[in-house]
Amino acid sequence: MSNISKLLKWITFTLEAFFAIPLIGGAYILSHGWLPLGIALLLHIAAIISLLKDRRSIIGNGLGVIASIVGIIPIIGWLMHGITAIVLLIEAITGSRNRPQV
């Protein structure tokens, strides 16, 4: 995985984990007029493009795109951000290991 892909994976994980904090994440999103969801959407799309070039898993960032879209729905958005953060963490940890190239 390239350094850009790793960085984007960790940034999007951190963002999703913050959004998943009960009350705090939602209050932050609402106080900024849902702009953080748009920024997260753009970051997830950039990560997907970078990961596709590296032939790595895009599942976590794909979930992030969905979470950014449905994030305006209070409980569903919170749940999606939490699930996305967990998947991104797992992908970031397993993707950062050195694997032999085939």
Side-chain angles (χ1 to χ4, degrees), residues 22-96:
L23 300 176
I24 296 171
Y28 181 79
I29 290 169
L30 287 175
S31 68
H32 289 88
W34 290 284
L35 182 64
L37 292 178
I39 293 169
L41 177 66
L42 294 175
L43 285 171
H44 284 298
I45 291 170
I48 288 171
I49 292 168
S50 179
L51 289 163
L52 284 173
K53 287 180 183 177
D54 291 344
R55 296 184 177 172
R56 295 294 184 164
S57 175
I58 61 166
I59 295 171
N61 290 103
L63 284 173
V65 168
I66 296 168
S68 295
I69 294 169
V70 301
I72 60 172
I73 305 169
I75 302 300
I76 295 172
W78 170 75
L79 184 63
M80 282 300 299
H81 289 303
I83 292 169
T84 301
I86 292 168
V87 173
L88 284 169
L89 178 63
I90 292 168
E91 286 182 352
I93 290 171
T94 59
S96 63

Side-chain angles (χ1 to χ4, degrees), residues 6-28:
K6 286 181 197 177
L7 181 63
L8 285 170
K9 187 71 79 171
W10 282 106
I11 288 172
T12 54
F13 157 71
T14 305
L15 195 59
E16 291 294 333
F18 176 71
F19 290 163
I21 299 171
L23 300 176
I24 296 171
Y28 181 79

